[in-house]
Amino acid sequence: MQPRQSAFSPQAPATQEWAVVLLLTALALLLPTHNSTPDAWYYAACVRHGHELLLPHHLLYNVVGWLWRQLLPASLDTLAALKALNALAFGACLLVLRSLLRRVSGPRTPVAGWLLLAGSSFGMLRFATENETYVLPLLLSLLASRSWWRAAAGETGWRGWLSAGAWAAGAALLHQIHAFWWLGLLIGVLWARPAGRWVATAWYSLPALLVPLAYAAALPSWQLPFTLRTFWEFVFYELYHGHAGAAPSGRTLLLMGVSVVRTFGQLHGSTLALLQRWPLLAGVALLCAGLMLAAMWQLWRRRRIASANLSSADFGDENKPATLAAEATQAAPHRAFRRTHLLILLLHLSCALWAAGNAEFLVMLPSLLALLLVRQPWPARPLALAGGALLLWNLTFGLLPAHLLRFTDTAPLLARLEREPTAWWLLSDPNLVLNQLHYRTGRPVGPPNILPAPALLVQRPGQSAARLRAWLRRCRAAGQPVYTDALDGPRLLDRARLTQGDDATQRQLLQGFRLVRVDSAATAFGWVYLTQVQ
C-alpha cells in the first residue's frame, strides 16, 4: 500500500509553486480595495495630474506609476491602474521569493508551503491590493538578495555583486526604508567573502552613487537651490518635518506588537465589527483557528518523530565526522546568507519600532522569515494548513470586506463642500478629503477651510482648547458655519482612535457650543454624522 502524499509533497513541486503564485496574484488583481487610504489617493492624484512625481521619502514611486500609466488606455481609472501595478509586483515578489527559497534550501523543501504562508500574510496582501509604496521596493530588494546569493555561492563573479548593489539601490530610491536592506547586504558581503572582500564591497557599493545623484537631480522640481544643507534636508524631509520617529513608550510597544501580529493576520477594529454584524463569520474564525492548531500539532508530532529517528540513525555512524565537515564547507554561503538576512530583519524591526510600530514598515517581515526558516526541517502539511488558515482569515476579514464594503462614504461630504465653500470643516480624516479633491480637480493645494477634528487640531503647535473655543466664537460671530464629522460615528478600536481620542475627548473640547446634526452617510459599520457647531 502506497503512503498517502501530502498536498504539498515533493513529487510535483514546480506545479504546486506556480499554482500558489498564480492563485495569490489572481486574488490580488481581482480584489483591489475600494477603501483606499489618504496616501493612496494622493499618489494617484500626483500620477494622474503630473504633480510632485519626485517625493523625498519614496523618490521614484510616482515616476514608476506615471510611466506605467502612459502604457495604458486613457479611459482607465488611474487609481485602479496603480493598484493593478502593485498586484503584478506582488506576483513578481512571489516568483523571486520562489527562486530564492529554491536556491537556499534543500532539494525536498516544501517551497510551495512557504510561498503560501508568506504570500497569504496580511502585510503582503494588504499592499498588493492598494496603491501604496511598499510592494515595488520589496520586489527590488528580493532581486538584490537573489543576486547577492548567486555571487556569494560562486555562481557569478563581480557582476553578481554589482547587480545586487544596483537592485538594492533601486529599492532605496522607491522607498527610503529599504536603505536598511541595502546596508544589511553590504555588511553581508564582508561576511560572505573572507578573501577579496573589499573588491566585492566596492562592486556592490558602486551603484549606490546613483542615489545621491538622483536626489540632487530632484531638487529643481521642488524649486530648491543646490546647497549641502538643502540637499540634506530634502533627503531627510520626513524627519525634519516631524513625520517620522517616536519616543519609546508603552503605547509604542503595544502598537508594535499589534503591527507584528497584523502583518500576518488582519487584526483591526473592523474584525470585531464584522463578527457583530454577521455572526456566522465566527464559524470561519473557528475554522481558521482549528487549521492553525492542527498545523501546530502536526509540526510538533513530525519533529518529535524526526528527532527520534535522527538519534537512532546517528548512533555508531563512523563516517559522521567527515560528513559533517563536508556539510560545513558547503554551508558557508548559507550561514552568511542567514546572518545577513537576520541582520536585515532586525534593522527593519528597529525602524518600525522607532516609527511607533508602523505596520507599513513590516511588509518585508513574512518574506524575510521565510528565507531565514526555510532550511529548517519543516514538513509540508503543517505549512499548507497554516498558510491555508492565514489565507482564509485574511480573505474573510481583510480583502473581501475592503473590496465589497464601504468603510467610509465621503461623497455627501464632497458635495456639501462644493455647496458651502466658505464653511469650516473639522474632519476626522481631513487628508482623505483633501487628497480626493486633489484627485478629482487636479488642484494640488486644497482649500484652507478643511481642518482636523478638534482633538487633533489642539495638538498643533501653538494651539489649545481655549484658542479653539475662541476661534469657534469668532466664526459664529462672522456667520461662518463650522461642521465636524468626528462625533457619534462608528466606534472601531483602531490605531486612529488610540492616537486621536474618542467622542468624549471631542465633546469636552466643544463644551459651551450647541451641536446639531445636519447630515449623515451610511457605512458598513454604521452611520457617520455631520454635526454643525453652533
Side-chain angles (χ1 to χ4, degrees), residues 177 242-260 348-362 495-496 498-499:
I177 192 176
H243 300 157
S249 66
R251 189 179 70 174
T252 299
L253 293 174
L254 172 64
L255 292 174
M256 180 66 180
V258 171
S259 294
V260 170
H348 280 288
L349 286 173
S350 300
C351 181
L353 179 61
W354 175 72
N358 193 342
E360 296 170 339
F361 289 180
L362 294 173
R495 187 186 183 95
L498 289 174
T499 56

Side-chain angles (χ1 to χ4, degrees), residues 56 212 215-216 218-238 240-241:
Y215 273 91
L219 290 176
S221 70
W222 287 78
Q223 289 80 47
L224 294 174
F226 183 75
T227 64
L228 187 58
R229 180 174 180 176
T230 302
F231 172 80
W232 185 263
E233 292 181 355
F234 179 70
V235 172
F236 297 104
Y237 178 90
E238 298 289 324
Y240 276 97
H241 288 76

Side-chain angles (χ1 to χ4, degrees), residues 424 426 453-455 468-469 471-473 476 481-489 491 502-519 529-534:
W424 289 93
L426 308 182
L468 171 65
R469 295 188 186 105
W471 173 76
L472 289 171
R473 286 191 289 268
R476 183 173 58 184
V482 178
Y483 299 100
T484 182
D485 66 349
L487 299 173
D488 303 323
R491 292 173 173 78
D502 54 11
D503 279 0
T505 305
Q506 309 285 359
R507 289 184 180 278
Q508 185 177 7
L509 292 168
L510 297 174
Q511 278 183 349
F513 297 88
R514 195 157 61 97
L515 306 176
V516 180
R517 290 182 185 175
V518 295
D519 203 351
Y529 299 100
L530 187 66
T531 301
Q532 185 173 1
V533 182
Q534 297 179 350

Side-chain angles (χ1 to χ4, degrees), residues 10 42 66 71 93 99 104 129 148 151 218 277 326 339 349 356 413 419 436 472 500 515 520 524 530:
Y42 172 63
W66 185 86
L71 301 175
C93 284
S99 175
V104 303
T129 56
W148 188 98
R277 182 170 177 181
R339 290 174 64 191
L349 286 173
L413 180 59
R419 295 197 305 269
Q436 287 180 342
L472 289 171
Q500 296 176 16
L515 306 176
S520 60
L530 187 66

Side-chain angles (χ1 to χ4, degrees), residues 36-87:
S36 287
T37 63
D39 284 347
W41 282 100
Y42 172 63
Y43 306 142
C46 291
V47 169
R48 185 179 189 180
H49 303 291
H51 300 156
E52 298 177 355
L53 294 179
L54 298 170
L55 294 169
H57 198 45
H58 26 77
L59 191 70
L60 298 184
Y61 178 79
N62 282 349
V63 173
V64 173
W66 185 86
L67 292 172
W68 165 255
R69 188 66 188 86
Q70 306 313 303
L71 301 175
L72 303 174
S75 58
L76 187 62
D77 178 66
T78 300
L79 182 58
L82 295 172
K83 292 175 187 176
L85 172 63
N86 275 326

